[in-house]
Amino acid sequence: MSMMNMEWYRIFLHTARVGNLTRAAQELHITQPSVSYAIKQLEEALGVKLFDRLSKGVALTSEGRTLLDYVEKSFTLLDNGEKQIASLRNYASGELRIGASGPIIKHLLLTPLDELRSQHPNVRIRLFQGNTADIRTRLVEGQIDLGFVHLPYVDPELQIKPLTAIQGCFVVGPAYKERPASRLRLRT
């Protein structure tokens, strides 16, 4: 369906509701000849007469009444779709899929996600635990919306932004307590 056809249907819907070409034109902020032309184009495209012209307006034909039912449902469905998209955009509903390693989830994400959940209770949050390679694969395949990985990490397919610096420390058992850390050899 082309955009012109959508406009024809919108004009048809308003005309059917008010029963008058001039009033439909006023409501739509277009000229009455534009309304007449759109109705004529729609009738020609469908091959049926949609309105009977009366002395004080128009009345739907049986074909027009049949079409009106579908047009009303279609515009209602489109309106509901737009409302749902607005709801998702405003975090009023939907799903947020996040991937991260266990330590990142535990130390960085749990508190902010609790706050997000309290501010937007209708948003479903799904956490996926994995290593950097798993997170990358899920992002590229569209299985998650957001991933948290350990840096340094470079991938031209992904937009990567540092979030925070995590301080690490070196911990040894009693056998290594007295040895300087610089002299310890790690087995790989």
Side-chain angles (χ1 to χ4, degrees):
M1 181 182 318
S2 71
M3 287 307 293
M4 181 56 84
N5 286 348
M6 279 295 284
E7 185 65 11
W8 294 345
Y9 286 114
R10 187 173 73 89
I11 291 168
F12 165 79
L13 178 62
H14 281 274
T15 305
R17 286 180 176 167
V18 299
N20 185 287
L21 297 174
T22 303
R23 282 199 2 238
Q26 289 169 344
E27 284 185 11
L28 294 168
H29 305 290
I30 59 176
T31 65
Q32 188 272 331
S34 296
V35 171
S36 296
Y37 178 77
I39 298 296
K40 182 178 182 257
Q41 292 298 109
L42 186 57
E43 288 176 331
E44 286 179 10
L46 296 174
V48 295
K49 186 176 176 185
L50 299 171
F51 291 100
D52 287 320
R53 274 63 173 177
L54 308 172
S55 61
K56 293 193 176 192
V58 292
L60 286 168
T61 63
S62 62
E63 292 87 351
R65 284 190 298 276
T66 300
L67 181 63
L68 178 61
D69 184 45
Y70 287 98
V71 171
E72 285 178 328
K73 288 176 184 175
S74 298
F75 276 94
T76 299
L77 191 60
L78 287 171
D79 185 52
N80 290 342
E82 288 176 359
K83 287 176 184 172
Q84 181 63 30
I85 294 300
S87 176
L88 292 171
R89 187 181 64 239
N90 297 325
Y91 302 110
S93 68
E95 180 178 75
L96 178 61
R97 302 165 303 169
I98 301 171
S101 68
I104 291 176
I105 292 171
K106 180 180 177 185
H107 298 293
L108 291 179
L109 296 181
L110 289 182
T111 301
L113 290 178
D114 282 342
E115 291 173 21
L116 178 68
R117 189 181 315 271
S118 68
Q119 292 171 3
H120 306 285
N122 294 327
V123 174
R124 181 177 180 204
I125 300 170
R126 294 182 61 198
L127 288 174
F128 296 92
Q129 184 175 336
N131 61 29
T132 298
D134 296 332
I135 302 305
R136 184 220 179 267
T137 300
R138 287 180 188 257
L139 278 168
V140 170
E141 292 178 358
Q143 297 173 6
I144 58 175
D145 305 304
L146 184 62
F148 293 87
V149 298
H150 294 279
L151 296 177
Y153 185 73
V154 177
D155 190 320
E157 289 187 65
L158 301 174
Q159 182 180 8
I160 301 170
K161 293 184 179 182
L163 175 66
T164 187
I166 299 175
Q167 296 294 322
C169 65
F170 189 72
V171 179
V172 297
Y176 295 95
K177 185 177 179 182
E178 301 301 322
R179 296 174 78 181
S182 62
R183 299 179 76 193
L184 293 175
R185 291 183 188 249
L186 298 176
R187 293 185 181 140
T188 54

